[in-house]
Amino acid sequence: METDYNIHKSNSTYFSDLDISRTALVSRLYYPGMSIVSKELDKELNLKKRAPIYVALGSVYCSFKREIKPYELFEIQSKVAGWDQKWLYILSFFLRPERRKGEGKTLLATAISKYVVKKGRLTVPPERVLRASGFLPPRPEGAPEQSVSGSNDTSAIGTPAAGEETAVGEGVDGSAVREDLTLTEDKIPEPAVLRDQKRKNTDSWDPQEWSWERIDEERKRGLEIIEGYINLDAKLHEQWSA
């Protein structure tokens, strides 16, 4: 059912496969950070109307290298390329498993996706969510924190627009199971549960090996790799409006 008239995997189906791979990754990285940040913002901004916090997919780019034939086995590997003030960028690779020992995997397609965390109309920096999840060390003294941007007027707090919610199943280790990536007040676990998961996340990596400086260096290196993709959206908008 996924083949096209060329009798190979249809180009359109790559995007539904990406939903599964990258959403498993993002849900793992953003849990329990999204829940913790949502509660923090309610207090910081003194919001009378508490908006849900959610992840929205901004755009996807996919480049096809080799065909995938019917019933052919393939895998998808997704990883974080980097992040800026607004977007978390995910690299995904469609791979054919090694057929003979020592041959290595074959690259079938590459993809880049970007995600934004929103609480109503407020944009939450990825760094804040990742740190709240326990996956980033504290910033060095004197280094400014990235701030939440957007309107803090309660009238601007709303629910996600149609099509902005992304379905998600079980996270890569079973820790982030929920119906979707929108967290309303009733879906946020108890504080003790959030603290326990954050502690487990923090214990899963070595802060001596992955210092803030090294992580930031890797983040910037990743952004340089996808610089063309980052600037493309603005250029296309300029072309449309010219």
Side-chain angles (χ1 to χ4, degrees):
M1 296 302 292
E2 292 193 352
T3 57
D4 60 16
Y5 55 82
N6 290 315
I7 318 299
H8 62 204
K9 182 175 173 62
S10 175
N11 296 343
S12 61
T13 64
Y14 286 71
F15 297 94
S16 57
D17 291 340
L18 283 170
D19 277 340
I20 299 171
S21 177
R22 65 180 177 226
T23 303
L25 173 61
V26 172
S27 64
R28 175 70 179 94
L29 294 174
Y30 278 176
Y31 180 77
M34 282 179 58
S35 299
I36 293 173
V37 169
S38 182
K39 287 183 171 294
E40 289 176 348
L41 289 176
D42 287 336
K43 293 180 180 179
E44 291 172 15
L45 302 176
N46 193 25
L47 297 178
K48 296 179 181 179
K49 182 180 179 182
R50 296 185 176 182
I53 193 168
Y54 64 97
V55 180
L57 179 66
S59 66
V60 187
Y61 163 85
C62 192
S63 177
F64 309 104
K65 306 298 183 183
R66 293 176 174 83
E67 69 173 353
I68 300 178
K69 298 179 180 179
Y71 302 106
E72 181 179 2
L73 182 65
F74 68 93
E75 63 184 68
I76 306 174
Q77 294 181 359
S78 291
K79 66 178 184 178
V80 174
W83 60 87
D84 54 27
Q85 178 79 7
K86 180 177 181 179
W87 300 103
L88 177 75
Y89 299 94
I90 304 295
L91 286 179
S92 298
F93 303 96
F94 288 76
L95 302 167
R96 178 183 295 134
E98 186 178 56
R99 290 179 173 176
R100 291 184 292 273
K101 189 174 182 179
E103 182 183 59
K105 298 179 180 180
T106 303
L107 182 63
L108 303 173
T110 59
I112 309 172
S113 311
K114 65 179 185 180
Y115 282 105
V116 64
V117 176
K118 305 286 284 187
K119 185 172 173 66
R121 294 183 185 177
L122 298 174
T123 298
V124 184
E127 179 180 323
R128 178 166 181 174
V129 183
L130 290 171
R131 182 168 290 113
S133 286
F135 288 119
L136 283 181
R139 271 179 166 256
E141 186 176 350
E145 286 280 356
Q146 294 182 333
S147 59
V148 173
S149 61
S151 172
N152 61 359
D153 184 353
T154 55
S155 64
I157 304 297
T159 56
E164 286 189 318
E165 295 177 272
T166 305
V168 62
E170 183 173 303
V172 290
D173 64 351
S175 64
V177 180
R178 47 189 181 274
E179 296 177 2
D180 53 52
L181 282 178
T182 299
L183 291 178
T184 53
E185 191 71 21
D186 62 311
K187 290 183 180 179
I188 295 178
E190 293 297 321
V193 176
L194 299 177
R195 288 194 299 268
D196 182 61
Q197 183 59 50
K198 181 178 181 178
R199 178 185 55 77
K200 290 179 180 178
N201 291 346
T202 301
D203 292 343
S204 69
W205 57 280
D206 184 358
Q208 299 300 319
E209 179 182 4
W210 288 98
S211 63
W212 185 89
E213 290 78 10
R214 182 182 178 186
I215 292 174
D216 197 51
E217 181 180 334
E218 285 296 308
R219 178 187 70 85
K220 292 175 180 177
R221 186 181 70 84
L223 293 181
E224 288 178 0
I225 293 173
I226 60 173
E227 183 178 5
Y229 165 80
I230 294 173
N231 297 328
L232 179 61
D233 191 42
K235 291 180 179 179
L236 290 176
H237 184 78
E238 290 174 3
Q239 181 66 27
W240 171 82
S241 58

